[in-house]
Amino acid sequence: MNITRENIDDLNAVLKVDIAKDDYNEKVQKVLKDYRKSANIPGFRKGHVPMGLVQKQYGKAVLVDEVNKLLQDSLQKYLTEEKLDVLGNPLPKDQEDLNWDAGDYTFEFELGLAPKFEVDLQPKKAITSYTIVVDDKMVDNQITTIQKQYGKITSKQEVENDDEVSGSFVNEEAEFEKKTMFEVAKLKGKANTSAFVGAKVGDTVTVSTKGLFEEAGDYRSFLGLSEEEAKEKNLEVSFTIEEVNRREPADLDQELFDKLYGPGVITSVTELKEKIKEEGENQFKQQSDQQLLNDVTERLIENTEFDLPAEFLKKWIQRSGEKELTFEEAVEEYERSEKGLRYQLIEGKIIADNELQITFEEIKAYAKEMIKAQMAQFGQNDPKDEELEGIAARILSNQDEVKRLSEQLMNKKLLDFFKENVKLKEKEVTFDEFVKEVYN
């Protein structure tokens, strides 16, 4: 057997595979002999069917099967030995006139080659790395929320300024519906407040999404839209009041502190504020880190230029699924997936060039840390290592979990790498400022 490669250009090549009868005949004959031993053909005892009959009945199918196996094994071995970085899989060229009686065969395969490129981690314009701080206003709002959450709830029939209402915002024409609960005090402007105040359970109120709430974050919480989306859509929505409640706030005393954090952990309002600030900034760090990862990804795709074997990839997408697509469908799928493919190549190069690969021991250690954190949430702050090992072993016996943890750990490694190597501009913002800059 002989394999030769012709490079069409930097991104496309054709493999020519010559297979002689000696390459496959021994395996074909062995399979046919095994068939002869087990074949049940009327008029012949098992194991005594003439070889010519077995050859006539099964020979062509066995030949095709063995040649295809040989092709796949040989192609994989060739790609590995030649260290060819290919996209997708080799695509066989159409050979409608292939004569399976010839004995010697020639097959051709199209290859899509991965492009060569460099990644510039120092863009001219620095990427913003946000640090979200919890300001006094947010702390005070959180304390007010806690007091209401742990306070006494009184059901009412008529809405007043300090009440909360439950129901759904609906616009049937736009197929928009959002079930929610919000405080009347969060509405923006006299017109919106007046629409609710005085309404009763069962009444329907009509308002517009544009300018409905005071705070930018409230649009996502109560409408499921960003402030900008609510403004652009400017939907007229109806809200049927299902429930009205008045919450009498709980006192800021030791009983409340103990309910929140356990006996004696917090002993004053000052300590409570410090704890809320610490927890909030830890939570926001995850959000700002994810945004940084998203922003770096977008910038790398934008600034890293290289060509792809587009026509090959469209053909490969067309043929590689369970059901063959039309060429038009394949083109649409390629256009949807091109950006993701580009980042996969960029990410792969960064990982390879900087040796960011993950070991199984790292995955296990990461799993144990996650388990410890989850156990701490339920008051188990000092689990034994044997217990952690046992839980981790059960988790890592599931390949889907291993894949999920590997992706999380790689994202963490990439994030740490980007923080150290990408040109960044630090910016301290409140959460509301972060929402306005990132989501609007």
Side-chain angles (χ1 to χ4, degrees):
M1 184 175 61
N2 185 45
I3 300 180
T4 55
R5 182 175 83 248
E6 178 189 355
N7 289 331
I8 307 302
D9 53 38
D10 290 341
L11 299 173
N12 295 275
V14 174
L15 287 186
K16 184 179 178 183
V17 185
D18 294 315
I19 295 180
K21 188 172 183 177
D22 289 344
D23 296 323
Y24 62 82
N25 191 51
E26 185 176 336
K27 288 185 178 180
V28 169
Q29 294 307 315
K30 182 180 182 304
V31 173
L32 290 175
K33 285 177 183 177
D34 291 340
Y35 273 30
R36 186 188 182 202
K37 292 176 185 177
S38 57
N40 286 312
I41 296 179
F44 298 95
R45 286 185 296 143
K46 191 174 181 179
H48 289 75
V49 180
M51 193 60 184
L53 188 57
V54 173
Q55 176 75 41
K56 183 177 180 181
Q57 188 158 347
Y58 300 108
K60 182 66 67 67
V62 171
L63 168 65
V64 172
D65 189 45
E66 290 302 319
V67 168
N68 280 326
K69 286 180 185 176
L70 181 61
L71 271 174
Q72 295 306 315
D73 291 344
S74 303
L75 285 171
Q76 190 57 51
K77 183 179 178 183
Y78 177 85
L79 296 176
T80 302
E81 289 178 350
E82 294 293 315
K83 297 180 180 178
L84 287 180
D85 193 1
V86 300
L87 302 179
N89 293 313
L91 280 180
K93 284 194 168 185
D94 291 333
Q95 292 180 275
E96 295 178 359
D97 58 346
L98 181 64
N99 180 11
W100 284 103
D101 296 323
D104 296 341
Y105 312 107
T106 296
F107 300 92
E108 290 186 337
F109 294 85
E110 296 178 61
L111 293 184
L113 305 177
K116 307 291 186 205
F117 59 90
E118 296 300 323
V119 180
D120 183 6
L121 297 170
Q122 296 292 317
K124 291 179 181 179
K125 185 180 179 182
I127 298 170
T128 302
S129 176
Y130 294 98
T131 299
I132 305 173
V133 295
V134 176
D135 57 8
D136 291 342
K137 179 183 175 183
M138 181 170 280
V139 171
D140 290 341
N141 286 342
Q142 182 62 21
I143 288 176
T144 299
T145 299
I146 290 170
Q147 286 182 276
K148 289 182 177 179
Q149 182 181 350
Y150 285 87
K152 181 183 176 183
I153 301 175
T154 304
S155 181
K156 299 178 61 183
Q157 288 298 307
E158 186 173 327
V159 181
E160 294 183 81
N161 274 306
D162 294 328
D163 294 337
E164 62 183 29
V165 293
S166 299
S168 297
F169 287 111
V170 176
N171 181 305
E172 292 183 357
E173 186 178 343
E175 297 183 347
F176 176 83
E177 182 173 355
K178 172 66 174 174
K179 188 173 180 63
T180 189
M181 177 181 72
F182 63 91
E183 298 172 48
V184 175
K186 289 186 175 289
L187 292 167
K188 183 178 182 179
K190 276 188 176 181
N192 289 324
T193 303
S194 299
F196 281 88
V197 172
K200 296 180 175 61
V201 173
D203 287 352
T204 298
V205 175
T206 301
V207 290
S208 295
T209 58
K210 179 182 177 180
L212 186 57
F213 294 105
E214 286 283 359
E215 303 290 342
D218 290 343
Y219 286 88
R220 286 205 175 272
S221 298
F222 306 134
L223 275 175
L225 303 172
S226 69
E227 184 178 17
E228 190 64 31
E229 288 172 328
K231 180 180 177 182
E232 287 179 3
K233 291 177 184 293
N234 195 20
L235 296 175
E236 187 176 85
V237 288
S238 62
F239 187 94
T240 300
I241 299 171
E242 297 174 2
E243 194 174 339
V244 181
N245 289 312
R246 166 65 60 89
R247 290 180 182 263
E248 300 294 336
D251 292 330
L252 290 173
D253 55 17
Q254 194 60 48
E255 181 183 355
L256 178 61
F257 302 154
D258 291 348
K259 283 180 181 178
L260 293 171
Y261 296 103
V265 176
I266 299 294
T267 59
S268 68
V269 173
T270 300
E271 289 181 6
L272 176 63
K273 288 184 175 182
E274 290 172 354
K275 188 70 171 175
I276 289 171
K277 182 177 175 66
E278 176 191 343
E279 290 177 337
E281 290 181 351
N282 285 338
Q283 179 183 346
F284 290 148
K285 185 177 185 302
Q286 296 177 15
Q287 200 163 347
S288 60
D289 280 349
Q290 184 59 54
Q291 188 59 43
L292 177 60
L293 195 58
N294 294 345
D295 289 343
V296 172
T297 298
E298 289 293 328
R299 188 69 66 83
L300 288 175
I301 294 171
E302 181 183 319
N303 289 356
T304 308
E305 295 184 0
F306 53 81
D307 292 326
L308 291 169
E311 293 308 310
F312 168 84
L313 288 170
K314 290 169 188 174
K315 282 195 282 186
W316 177 71
I317 290 171
Q318 183 182 9
R319 301 185 198 175
S320 62
E322 291 183 10
K323 178 185 175 184
E324 184 166 325
L325 305 177
T326 65
F327 187 69
E328 290 73 19
E329 289 172 332
V331 170
E332 289 178 8
E333 181 60 32
Y334 173 76
E335 290 172 352
R336 282 193 295 267
S337 59
E338 181 186 0
K339 191 174 181 181
L341 174 58
R342 286 181 177 278
Y343 184 66
Q344 283 180 15
L345 292 169
I346 294 168
E347 183 185 85
K349 183 168 178 60
I350 291 171
I351 291 169
D353 288 352
N354 298 280
E355 299 181 350
L356 299 180
Q357 288 81 4
I358 296 171
T359 66
F360 184 77
E361 286 304 312
E362 287 177 308
I363 297 173
K364 187 166 94 170
Y366 181 66
K368 288 167 71 174
E369 286 302 314
M370 290 186 65
I371 295 163
K372 281 178 69 175
Q374 290 172 356
M375 293 175 77
Q377 292 177 1
F378 297 95
Q380 295 175 266
N381 294 311
D382 192 24
K384 293 182 179 180
D385 193 59
E386 298 82 24
E387 185 178 8
L388 292 174
E389 284 280 347
I391 299 172
R394 288 197 296 274
I395 291 173
L396 298 177
S397 65
N398 183 322
Q399 289 302 309
D400 289 337
E401 282 297 305
V402 172
K403 182 181 178 183
R404 183 179 66 83
L405 290 172
S406 297
E407 289 173 352
Q408 290 180 2
L409 185 53
M410 180 53 72
N411 281 341
K412 183 177 182 300
K413 278 198 172 191
L414 284 167
L415 181 63
D416 292 341
F417 175 81
F418 292 150
K419 285 182 177 180
E420 292 180 9
N421 295 278
V422 173
K423 185 178 179 181
L424 301 177
K425 175 181 68 176
E426 302 290 336
K427 186 171 184 179
E428 194 172 276
V429 292
T430 66
F431 181 68
D432 283 344
E433 290 168 341
F434 175 77
V435 169
K436 283 183 179 178
E437 287 200 25
V438 171
Y439 297 116
N440 289 336

